[in-house]
C-alpha cells in the first residue's frame, strides 16, 4: 500500500490536500509541527487534537515539536523575514526537511503540502515554491495536490503512485475552489485562513525580535513568556513580565527558570512577575511596577513589601507604586 506524509497546518488547504490524495486510495499520515510560535498548546492535548482531526476531517495526525531548530533558524533566516518577524520561506524549508526525515518512520513514499501557487505573496510564488523544494532537499518528492497540474510532475505522478489527472490546478488568492472542494468532501467546519502564527502578529513579533536582539541564547521558557502578560524593558537592561490575571500569574510561576527572579507581594493581591536582571535599580523599578499593578489600598499606605525569589534565595524590597509617567516608554 502506498503511503504519503502530509505537512498539516490544520487550515483548509492542508485538510484538502490530504483528502485529495487519500481519495486515490493512498494512506495519508499527517504531521503537524509545533513551536511556541504556532500550535504549541496542542502538545498538552495531543490525543484530543488527533481525535478531533480524525472525526472532523477523516485524517490521522501526529504532532512533532521542532522548537529548538526553529529558534536557531529565527536568528538568521537565509531568505529573510516577511512583513513582521516571520521567516516564511525558511520556515517551510525547515518543516519540509523535518518531514523528509520522518518519511522512513511512516513508510512514506512522498510528501504532501496544501500550498497553492500564488496564494500568499512571499512564500507561494512559483519561483519561491521551487526554491523551497530545492533547498529542503525535497525535489521530486513533494506533491502539492491542490496545484499539481500547474507544476512539473513529481516522482509519485511519474511512477504511477498518484493519478495526476485527479489532482488539481488551483492558483491565486481566490478561496472559492477550496470552498467548493470542501463541500464535495462534506467538510463543513474548518478554520478560517490566516492566524495561528504569532510571528506574523505585529506586536508579538516586535517583542520576539527585541528578545532576539538582546539574548544570544534562546530559552524555550523565555519564548513562552514573551507571548502573554505585560512586558517592560527596565532602565538598566532588565526584562520584567507581569501577569495580568490569576491564570497568567499561574503560568508565569510555572514557566520561570531557576535563574530568574519570581516577584510578588506576599501580603497583597497583585501580579506575579518574572524578572531578568541583576542591576539593583531594576529591582527597585520592578518592585514599584508590581505594587503599581497590584490591588489598590484604601486608607492605608500604598507602599508594599515585594518579594524577589530565585534559586532558594529570597530578598524583600518595600516600594511605593511607580508613577505612570515614570514608566512611559518601558512597555514592550
Ligand atoms: S506564517 Fe509562521 S508558520 Fe506560517 S510559514 Fe510563516 S513563519 Fe511559518
Amino acid at each position: 500500500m502506498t503511503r504519503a506524509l502530509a505537512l498539516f497546518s490544520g487550515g483548509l488547504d492542508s485538510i484538502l490536500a490530504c483528502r485529495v490524495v487519500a481519495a486515490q486510495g493512498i494512506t495519508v499520515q499527517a504531521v503537524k509541527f509545533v513551536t511556541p510560535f504556532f500550535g504549541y498548546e496542542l502538545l498538552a492535548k495531543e490525543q484530543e487534537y488527533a481525535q478531533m482531526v480524525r472525526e472532523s476531517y477523516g485524517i490521522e495526525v501526529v504532532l512533532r515539536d521542532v522548537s529548538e531548530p526553529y529558534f536557531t533558524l529565527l536568528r538568521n533566516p537565509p531568505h529573510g523575514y516577511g512583513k513582521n518577524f516571520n521567516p516564511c520561506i525558511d520556515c517551510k524549508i525547515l518543516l519540509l526537511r523535518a518531514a523528509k526525515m520522518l518519511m522512513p518512520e511512516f513508510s512514506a513514499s512522498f510528501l504532501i503540502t496544501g500550498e497553492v501557487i500564488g496564494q500568499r505573496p512571499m512564500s507561494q510564488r512559483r519561483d519561491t515554491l521551487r526554491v523551497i523544494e530545492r533547498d529542503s532537499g525535497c525535489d521530486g518528492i513533494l506533491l502539492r495536490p491542490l496545484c499539481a497540474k500547474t507544476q512539473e510532475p513529481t516522482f509519485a505522478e511519474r511512477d504511477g503512485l498518484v493519478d495526476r489527472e485527479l489532482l488539481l490546478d488551483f492558483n491565486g488568492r481566490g478561496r472559492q475552489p477550496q470552498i467548493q472542494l470542501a463541500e464535495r468532501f462534506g467538510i463543513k467546519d474548518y478554520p478560517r485562513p490566516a492566524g495561528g502564527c504569532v510571528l506574523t502578529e505585529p506586536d508579538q513579533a516586535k517583542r520576539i525580535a527585541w528578545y532576539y536582539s538582546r539574548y544570544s541564547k534562546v530559552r524555550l521558557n523565555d519564548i513562552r513568556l514573551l507571548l502573554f502578560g505585560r512586558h517592560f524593558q527596565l532602565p538598566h537592561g532588565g526584562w520584567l513580565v507581569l501577569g495580568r490575571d490569576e491564570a497568567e500569574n499561574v503560568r508565569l510561576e510555572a514557566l520561570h527558570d531557576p535563574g530568574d527572579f519570581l516577584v510578588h507581594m506576599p501580603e497583597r493581591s497583585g501580579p506575579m512577575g518574572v524578572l531578568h536582571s541583576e542591576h539593583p535599580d531594576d529591582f527597585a523599578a520592578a518592585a514599584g511596577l508590581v505594587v503599581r499593578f497590584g490591588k489598590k489600598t484604601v486608607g492605608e499606605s500604598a507602599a508594599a513589601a515585594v518579594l524577589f525569589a530565585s534559586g532558594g534565595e529570597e530578598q524583600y524590597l518595600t516600594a511605593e507604586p511607580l508613577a505612570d509617567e515614570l514608566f512611559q516608554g518601558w512597555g514592550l
Side-chain angles (χ1 to χ4, degrees):
M1 172 169 301
T2 305
R3 294 174 183 273
L5 185 64
L7 248 75
F8 190 74
S9 69
L12 180 59
D13 290 357
S14 64
I15 294 168
L16 292 175
C18 291
R19 292 292 299 268
V20 164
V21 173
Q24 297 200 20
I26 292 163
T27 302
V28 175
Q29 172 67 54
V31 57
K32 181 170 173 62
F33 291 109
V34 301
T35 73
F37 308 119
F38 46 86
Y40 204 76
E41 67 290 348
L42 298 176
L43 285 175
K45 46 178 180 181
E46 180 167 3
Q47 295 312 321
E48 205 181 307
Y49 178 68
Q51 187 177 345
M52 184 280 287
V53 171
R54 185 181 307 119
E55 287 171 3
S56 307
Y57 313 122
I59 296 167
E60 293 296 327
V61 67
V62 292
L63 301 179
R64 287 290 191 272
D65 182 355
V66 288
S67 300
E68 288 304 329
Y70 205 96
F71 292 160
T72 307
L73 165 77
L74 195 52
R75 186 170 294 287
N76 190 15
H79 295 92
Y81 302 99
K83 203 163 156 207
N84 295 293
F85 203 48
N86 47 313
C88 290
I89 295 175
D90 292 297
C91 170
K92 284 169 186 261
I93 291 170
L94 183 147
L95 300 186
L96 276 170
R97 278 190 193 141
K100 189 180 175 194
M101 304 229 324
L102 289 176
M103 287 174 68
E105 182 181 332
F106 293 103
S107 307
S109 304
F110 60 98
L111 296 173
I112 302 171
T113 69
E115 290 159 304
V116 171
I117 190 161
Q119 184 150 105
R120 291 184 207 275
M122 177 165 89
S123 60
Q124 295 191 7
R125 292 196 334 229
R126 183 181 292 275
D127 51 344
T128 315
L129 291 186
R130 276 291 307 132
V131 168
I132 290 171
E133 66 195 38
R134 185 195 67 207
D135 292 2
S136 61
C138 291
D139 242 336
I141 59 166
L142 171 58
L143 179 70
R144 298 173 168 115
L146 302 188
C147 64
K149 285 182 170 166
T150 69
Q151 310 274 300
E152 288 296 309
T154 59
F155 136 83
E157 294 149 277
R158 289 193 307 266
D159 269 27
L161 299 179
V162 172
D163 183 349
R164 182 172 167 88
E165 283 314 301
L166 300 176
L167 302 176
L168 299 152
D169 59 357
F170 294 174
N171 75 78
R173 303 183 75 118
R175 302 293 298 160
Q176 217 42 42
Q178 281 90 329
I179 292 165
Q180 284 167 1
L181 187 59
E183 276 169 19
R184 263 179 42 213
F185 282 124
I187 297 169
K188 294 192 183 66
D189 291 326
Y190 43 83
R192 305 290 133 203
C197 174
V198 298
L199 296 169
T200 61
E201 291 172 15
D203 291 343
Q204 301 266 38
K206 220 157 79 189
R207 202 185 283 158
I208 297 160
W210 169 85
Y211 176 86
Y212 266 82
S213 72
R214 288 191 70 95
Y215 294 92
S216 54
K217 184 171 172 2
V218 176
R219 301 190 305 182
L220 172 66
N221 281 356
D222 284 353
I223 297 291
R224 297 182 70 195
L225 280 175
L226 282 166
L227 304 181
F228 67 97
R230 276 193 182 89
H231 294 253
F232 302 92
Q233 180 178 358
L234 303 178
H236 293 275
W239 169 33
L240 176 71
V241 193
L242 295 182
R244 289 172 298 189
D245 54 34
E246 194 47 36
E248 289 193 348
N249 286 348
V250 170
R251 283 181 74 193
L252 277 173
E253 194 167 359
L255 285 177
H256 87 285
D257 277 327
D260 304 334
F261 285 93
L262 202 54
V263 193
H264 76 292
M265 295 181 289
E267 289 169 0
R268 194 183 294 171
S269 305
M272 182 66 72
V274 173
L275 173 67
H276 285 229
S277 182
E278 295 186 348
H279 197 289
D281 290 350
D282 278 349
F283 280 64
L289 283 165
V290 168
V291 181
R292 158 65 181 78
F293 287 99
K295 192 165 186 299
K296 304 272 183 300
T297 57
V298 181
E300 45 183 298
S301 165
V306 177
L307 173 63
F308 293 78
S310 173
E313 290 188 13
E314 297 188 341
Q315 51 178 298
Y316 280 90
L317 273 182
T318 299
E320 296 277 345
L322 200 66
D324 288 10
E325 58 274 19
L326 289 181
F327 61 87
Q328 296 306 312
W330 294 7
L332 288 170

